[in-house]
Amino acid sequence: MSEALLLSLIQKLDINYGEDTRIKEQMEMVIKEMREIVDIVRDEKLEEGRTLNFLVYDLVDVAEDALHLSKQNDGHYWKYDSIHSWIGEIKERMLKLGDDGANINMRSSENVDDDKYVVGMEEQMEMLIRTRIIGGEGYWKALLIKGMSGIGKTTLAREIYNHPTVVERFERRRLWVSNVTHFTIKELLIKLIQQVEDPESLHTSSLLENMDNQSLRDMLRQHLRGMQYLIVLDDVPKQMHLKSFWAHLPQEFNGSRLLLTSHTAEVDIHIFDVHEMRFLDSDKSWELFFTTINHGNKLTGEHKFPKSLEHMGKQMLRKCDGLPLAIKEVGKQLLEKKLTSGSEWEQLLELVDFGSTLKLLEPFYNKLDPKLDSCFMSMSFFKEYATLRAEKLIEIWVAGGMAASRYDSKNSYLQGLISESVINVKDKPTEYHMNAVLHLLSIQKAEEKLGFEILRNNGNNRPFESPRHHRVIICSRDKFNYSTDQDKHLVSLFFHGGGYFDTSPSYWKSFEQKLRILDLEDFGLKILPETIGALMELRYLGLRNNYIKELPQLLRCLKKLEVLDIALNFMVEVPDIIWEMDSLVHLYMSDVICPKPLKIDALTYIETLTYVSVDNWTYGLSRFKEMEFLKKLGIEGLDGNSDVSKLFVSLADMEYLRHLILRGYRFRNMPCLDYLGILHNVRTLKLDGLLARLPTNLPPYIESLTLIDSCLDKDPMPLLEKLLNLSYLKLRNAYTGQQIVILDDGFPHLRVLCIEELWNLRYVQCGKDAMDWLEKLEIHDCPYLDTLPETIMSSCLVEIKMVTTKSIAAKIRKSDFMSEIEVVNINP
């Protein structure tokens, strides 16, 4: 039956799609995938049974959606992506059916009334119920709780589902389905219908299983029509084709809610709100740990965890990095060892093993998009708790061949890791953090699959039989004894630690065959050896934040080098060799000494150039037209004598220039910058230095503006609020006045506002509908700003972060409007 049904589907899809070649390509791909599935059913000789029938019903469903899309012909070809993903998932599931898989029973849902101890989620739960579940009563909403495995998504959803206020609001229609990642669409529909059907109904399980998906959707819709309902779908995978499911739910203006939990933001449903789960802080981590080891009162008297070891316990818990799964697992592990061995608590704390936690995270790793696998494993190259810069991650992936090309790496790979909760945004939009336990998993996977090793100078190194391709060397002040046995296989080499690494010239020559990445950032290096010029295959050289005084002449031999990062080496001397490294794509410098002007105009492939002296730039002004791919430029050394009019004219011709940074001196005014208005291509602008006044003309399409140490005596807001495309604004020591005034309808598209070190600021006044789309407000070190205008609390505001005095923090926390904000972090 299955094979015949699939063949009829193919025949139905195989029609003439006219002149639209894109639709034709999409439908041909769907047909090709369907034919491959027919071959699987035929070759594997799959028995007819519940699971196979469910998968076939889902195929019918998705084929109908593809046909409907082709008839719409709205030009949104990306809508086919979820169709292809779900067909691919169905194909994989069919391959896994085997001899016994045709009659697998449907998975049962989790008992959502389990009494489990919960720590650190009370504020998140109350806020979500108040602002997202109960609030906004007249609207139907889909909400997503997102985060990595083990962070508590299901626990939070369960607490919301069972909260008395929620039970009362949705008493007639409150539905829950767990482990959705293992379900077909048909199974999902049946599980929901079984929760709303009258027990006396004639629709038995077997009758429901014989109905097609459309009939099931109609039945569910009929049961929910006119009702105020809450549906929770737990652990939703991104490949699941849910469009037809949610589109057929009653979306009436009665306050109904669809709540999903997932590790990814790329679920196939239009989400109105995303709640990003947060890791526990030190105090909440300790509370959860202490609750875990005392659960069930298995320890009595002198065996209980002593209060005197709380500091040692918190130090151990730092390795869990606020991940509830790890904290509970460590607590259970220590409790079991204490009960069985009776060892002292100090000894047990020193011997904590995260092996069982990593096994529990395996399903999370297995759910990641396969194309992100190498990027995930590359996280092992960096230190735990490290701040990960976006540009460095991308450049490492490209240099190491882990990303297909530098042109799609930012969107495809970086955004993929963010979307799938592998990394989280830290303090800045371009800085990220990876949980320390997940970092351990990346090390384990990299050792197994990527040819990765960590060498320490304490001699505690694990031998590997197969050649190693990636290495991290962790140094201390002790002498490091190194071997060159496997160096010829290395592709990447990272140094962490104390800066002492005594090597002979032959050491570097041992890497010359394959080494593409060499990173010594933050290592404390003082001298870069000449023999580094032997690394002819090198693509990435990271020397940021060291004590290097001079670059060696033989660096000119690195003809394939694409990234050179020598920023934050104070007053490093750069000889006139840069122009010979004509493959450079990204060059990072700051405060460099150049005996001769650098011939940077020879860098025809350069995309990033920070920072170059304004004198150096104007010296080669006529030749910079050759740098046609330049996207990000930082220029330093501007003062009142700098002729910036010619500079801006030269930049206006650069078609791809999007990011511009201008830096002056600490105690000298920058020149008049009114000519900035001719830079129509610039989207991100940073002005770092004293300004006599704000430029009257700024790039008209600017989206992000940062003013640092400008020390303006006139309120900049009347000019800035008129920038229609501005979405990010940061002012740090940029204004010396006492009052900021934003007029009616000012900043129509601003999403993020950061105010720092405005030492005299006392008042912020906002007019009607000002900053209507503001999502995040950050205020740091404004010691006299003790009130915030209620008009700033737009319906979109999600997060407020504030560092201020203790008395002001207490006062603002008590403000009425704070109860409507999802994330409030106000600290002295």
Side-chain angles (χ1 to χ4, degrees), residues 636-792:
E636 62 184 4
L638 283 86
D639 62 14
N641 297 320
S642 303
D643 184 359
V644 292
S645 59
K646 292 181 180 178
L647 167 68
F648 295 153
V649 169
S650 71
L651 298 183
D653 291 333
M654 294 190 165
E655 182 181 355
Y656 298 106
L657 185 65
R658 295 291 182 271
H659 310 276
L660 178 62
I661 308 167
L662 301 178
R663 178 187 287 176
Y665 295 96
R666 186 166 184 179
F667 300 110
R668 281 188 264 172
N669 275 342
M670 294 174 71
C672 173
L673 302 177
D674 288 344
Y675 275 94
L676 278 168
I678 67 174
L679 304 182
H680 286 209
N681 294 324
V682 169
R683 299 294 184 269
T684 300
L685 177 64
K686 180 178 179 181
L687 303 180
D688 184 349
L690 284 172
L691 292 173
R693 62 175 177 80
L694 201 63
T696 54
N697 292 305
L698 288 166
Y701 304 108
I702 190 172
E703 298 170 1
S704 173
L705 175 63
T706 301
L707 300 179
I708 296 178
D709 294 334
S710 306
C711 297
L712 296 163
D713 55 12
K714 188 176 181 181
D715 183 3
M717 295 308 193
L719 177 60
L720 300 182
E721 68 183 6
K722 297 173 184 176
L723 297 170
L724 299 181
N725 296 298
L726 195 67
S727 62
Y728 177 91
L729 175 62
K730 180 175 181 178
L731 306 176
R732 191 176 83 195
N733 191 27
Y735 172 53
T736 59
Q738 297 185 8
Q739 181 168 325
I740 281 176
V741 178
I742 302 170
L743 300 178
D744 293 355
D745 302 310
F747 294 109
H749 292 105
L750 195 67
R751 303 279 182 171
V752 179
L753 175 62
C754 302
I755 300 174
E756 299 179 10
E757 300 176 24
L758 302 191
W759 304 108
N760 300 319
L761 185 65
R762 284 167 167 77
Y763 310 103
V764 175
Q765 180 180 330
C766 289
K768 182 180 178 183
D769 297 328
M771 298 190 291
D772 237 10
W773 292 96
L774 193 69
E775 296 173 355
K776 183 175 182 179
L777 174 65
E778 290 191 25
I779 301 174
H780 299 270
D781 299 318
C782 299
Y784 296 109
L785 185 64
D786 61 357
T787 57
L788 297 176
E790 291 194 26
T791 49
I792 208 173

Side-chain angles (χ1 to χ4, degrees), residues 509-526:
K509 288 182 70 68
S510 65
F511 300 119
E512 63 185 0
Q513 294 184 33
K514 289 189 175 182
L515 194 69
R516 297 167 66 96
I517 300 169
L518 176 59
D519 186 49
L520 294 123
E521 183 172 340
D522 301 327
F523 189 62
L525 193 69
K526 294 181 179 179

Side-chain angles (χ1 to χ4, degrees), residues 112 157-163 166-167 174-176 230 232:
V112 296
R158 186 184 67 244
E159 291 300 301
I160 292 171
Y161 186 86
N162 288 326
H163 193 278
V166 175
V167 172
R174 199 168 52 100
L175 316 177
W176 175 290
L230 169 66
V232 180

